[in-house]
Amino acid sequence: MTLTACPLFINGEWATPKIAATPVYNPSTGEVIAECPAGGVDEVNAAVEAAHAAFPGWRDTPPVERARVFFKYRQLVEQNFDLLCRTVSREHGKTHAEARGSIFRGLENIEYACGIPTLLFGDSLKNIARGVDCETINLPVGVCVGITPFNFPAMVPLWMYPLALACGNTFILKPSEKVPLTAVLLGQLLEQAGIPKGVFNIVHGGRPVVDALLTHPKVRAISFVGSTPIAKHIWETGTKHGKRVQANGGAKNYIVVMPDADVGKTVENLATAAFGCAGERCMAGSTALTVGAAAERILPDLVKAAKAIRVGPTDRAAQPDMGPVITAAHRDRVLGLLAAGEKEGAKVIADGRSVKVADAPKGFYLGATVVDGVQDNMTLAREEVFGPVLNVMRMDDLDAAIEQAGKSAFGNGAAIFTNSGRAAREFTMRVKAGMVGVNVGVPATMAMFPFTGWDDSFYGDLHLQGKEAVQFYTQQKVISTRWFGGDVGDVWKK
Ligand code: NAD
């Protein structure tokens, strides 16, 4: 089959350099559909120089004019919605419905960026001392970089560059080498929207490219989303080289089910939280902490729900309930974690390991799997699985559940299913996680709220999205002004 082109975008030019490349798979079929150029230091230098040269012109473009580019971009993303969905499904394996949902979330970030003129408002205070006025202004920082993971090929890049650019920065996107095609398409649409040359650039590759970006003296800010070890490396290396860094890491999210929870709604939400996007979500509800009688109430229906999930290819008209995982290696890693769990005494009560997909036998499939009796000391309880696996840990009471969630090194999301306002209030206040749901299984925040991971789920000070991200992508200047002549401090009396 013909491979899809996967060019770099530097200074307004699309080019595919003749350098080593890594295969991009269609996980539904196991076929190689493109080759992602594993760019090098030369490409990084060219992109940073282009972004640096374009910065003054873009910085000085009035915010209303920058916003207009994003109004246009919004329209183009909407017009190309189906193409974007198909591209995400093809290179990532999300179902069309999941791809649509994720691109909507990205679109909301473009919409948020369209409000940049008001988001950039500063503060001012007249007569801060006699005859002296004071104001803050919010200025862009310069060349910004975004390094993104495989699991949301459109949404996560869209968390970053629309707002960074709307703030007046220039940007270099380094998408995951596993899903570069959606990023290329998003870049083509931004070019059509009228982004000036050099303001937005795309480079591809792995560690050498990332390290060249992290250490380049002209890069001022780095946004990263990916696994915890790499997030830590990005934060340590970037800050050591004088850059501001926001680095989102991995996660392990707990869903507490109280004995009074609505069985039908809880099962439906748990299944979606655990198995949606084949579990490849940093906000996946990957562990159910059942309190007291909750386990006996929900497990029979949960097992039925898991077994009913139809797994299959997402690159054709007839859609399954759940698609494949990203690579064969990733599937094997999840299988390894399940084997370790069983060896350590956990019990697989819905087993998706031997799922067969007749019309796509080489795809990277795993069925929905539920593991009961997971204990705190097991590998399954500690490591992020990032597959369609729901662990069940049985707790005596709410205190024990909150304590269990607090033991995790991560701190991304947590949720409770209950009919008790008292239990919900206690949980939301005490649980150790940055995003908390009450009868909401995946409390991932929308564009106007920050994506507030804690602990090993986030390194940095200011999170992605919302006002925190505006602060991250701007630097404040405070201007104190005094004009001589006349009496100071009481001009209104004249
Ligand atoms: P990853 O860490 O392997 O890769 C992320 C990015 O880092 C990619 O662009 C990759 O090319 C680059 N990279 C990989 N290895 C590198 C290295 N050694 N040095 C420098 N750069 C390197 O993550 P992934 O597998 O693509 O994505 C899945 C992970 O992302 C999961 O852990 C998931 O929880 C996490 N994630 C977190 C959030 C969040 O907001 N907290 C959101 C989405 C995904």
Side-chain angles (χ1 to χ4, degrees):
M1 81 183 288
T2 0
L3 296 183
T4 314
C6 182
L8 285 72
F9 186 52
I10 297 175
N11 203 23
E13 304 290 332
W14 294 96
T16 309
K18 296 213 175 329
I19 44 183
T22 54
V24 178
Y25 292 95
N26 173 352
S28 288
T29 61
E31 285 172 319
V32 175
I33 52 170
E35 284 181 338
C36 180
V41 175
D42 288 349
E43 287 74 26
V44 168
N45 288 341
V48 177
E49 287 306 331
H52 189 253
F55 175 59
W58 183 243
R59 175 197 60 201
D60 297 344
T61 303
V64 281
E65 284 181 35
R66 295 200 298 258
R68 266 178 218 130
V69 174
F70 288 95
F71 278 109
K72 178 83 183 150
Y73 191 43
R74 188 209 172 279
Q75 192 186 6
L76 287 165
V77 167
E78 205 169 53
Q79 281 165 2
N80 289 276
F81 210 82
D82 286 342
L83 177 60
L84 276 162
C85 287
R86 283 197 307 274
T87 310
V88 167
S89 291
R90 186 160 167 261
E91 68 175 348
H92 175 277
K94 283 191 201 303
T95 64
H96 290 178
E98 290 164 350
R100 288 185 75 78
S102 70
I103 297 167
F104 259 122
R105 281 283 134 95
L107 194 68
E108 286 153 8
N109 280 266
I110 302 176
E111 289 165 349
Y112 187 73
C114 289
I116 200 65
T118 35
L119 290 172
L120 286 180
F121 275 12
D123 298 320
S124 74
L125 184 61
K126 284 285 182 203
N127 224 27
I128 199 155
R130 286 199 172 271
V132 179
D133 304 329
C134 199
E135 66 170 333
T136 55
I137 56 173
N138 298 308
L139 299 170
V141 295
V143 178
C144 299
V145 163
I147 301 158
T148 53
F150 78 81
N151 67 323
F152 282 99
M155 182 186 81
V156 172
L158 288 169
W159 280 354
M160 300 175 181
Y161 65 82
L163 195 58
L165 292 171
C167 286
N169 302 289
T170 53
F171 201 90
I172 301 165
L173 174 65
K174 205 302 286 172
S176 165
E177 63 277 32
K178 295 183 180 118
V179 293
L181 303 174
T182 307
V184 167
L185 180 53
L186 285 168
Q188 287 165 344
L189 296 175
L190 189 55
E191 188 186 17
Q192 278 180 44
I195 201 81
K197 274 184 198 305
V199 170
F200 177 72
N201 306 271
I202 301 175
V203 295
H204 296 294
R207 181 161 188 164
V209 168
V210 171
D211 284 348
L213 289 164
L214 292 179
T215 54
H216 198 296
K218 288 182 181 162
V219 169
R220 299 295 314 280
I222 317 248
S223 301
F224 173 86
V225 176
S227 60
T228 289
I230 312 298
K232 208 167 174 201
H233 166 69
I234 301 283
W235 183 76
E236 282 170 354
T237 315
T239 51
K240 196 169 142 201
H241 287 83
K243 290 140 200 3
R244 11 178 109 180
V245 179
Q246 48 180 198
N248 288 19
K252 193 131 190 110
N253 308 307
Y254 298 88
I255 298 189
V256 174
V257 184
M258 296 299 286
D260 68 348
D262 179 295
V263 173
K265 294 273 181 240
T266 304
V267 167
E268 189 186 320
N269 278 277
L270 255 183
T272 309
F275 308 127
C277 298
E280 293 172 324
R281 284 196 285 201
C282 69
M283 289 295 283
S286 51
T287 302
L289 300 174
T290 55
V291 172
E296 306 313 327
R297 293 185 72 225
I298 65 157
L299 285 185
D301 286 359
L302 187 64
V303 167
K304 255 190 241 161
K307 288 183 175 167
I309 291 175
R310 290 172 305 116
V311 182
T314 61
D315 62 345
R316 45 205 82 171
Q319 286 287 297
D321 301 318
M322 186 169 86
V325 296
I326 189 72
T327 56
H330 187 60
R331 177 194 56 203
D332 295 346
R333 179 182 169 275
V334 176
L335 289 172
L337 285 168
L338 285 168
E342 271 189 318
K343 208 168 153 199
E344 289 166 343
K347 192 159 174 255
V348 176
I349 54 173
D351 194 347
R353 287 175 290 187
S354 54
V355 70
K356 293 272 176 290
V357 176
D359 53 345
K362 293 194 178 144
F364 311 137
Y365 296 102
L366 272 172
T369 298
V370 182
V371 188
D372 195 7
V374 174
Q375 302 290 329
D376 189 35
N377 57 352
M378 295 180 182
T379 321
L380 266 182
R382 289 192 311 269
E383 289 203 19
E384 182 182 35
V385 178
F386 224 55
V389 175
L390 176 65
N391 292 335
V392 179
M393 299 177 85
R394 296 178 183 231
M395 302 285 126
D396 290 337
D397 53 28
L398 180 60
D399 276 347
I402 292 173
E403 195 182 317
Q404 181 61 46
K407 285 183 193 163
S408 169
F410 302 107
N412 226 30
I416 187 167
F417 280 80
T418 183
N419 275 321
S420 156
R422 178 77 187 82
R425 184 167 189 270
E426 183 157 352
F427 178 77
T428 55
M429 295 302 285
R430 285 178 50 201
V431 72
K432 187 190 75 125
M435 289 170 275
V436 181
V438 176
N439 298 319
V440 172
V442 183
T445 57
M446 282 174 71
M448 52 298 273
F449 285 95
F451 205 85
T452 43
W454 287 8
D455 294 352
D456 281 357
S457 295
F458 179 72
Y459 299 91
D461 302 299
L462 295 166
H463 294 90
L464 284 150
Q465 292 196 145
K467 286 185 205 155
E468 279 198 44
V470 175
Q471 272 184 279
F472 181 78
Y473 289 128
T474 54
Q475 50 196 343
Q476 288 194 316
K477 189 177 270 185
V478 183
I479 303 170
S480 303
T481 306
R482 175 169 59 195
W483 295 101
F484 296 115
D487 280 346
V488 291
D490 51 2
V491 282
W492 52 84
K493 286 188 187 159
K494 293 199 168 179

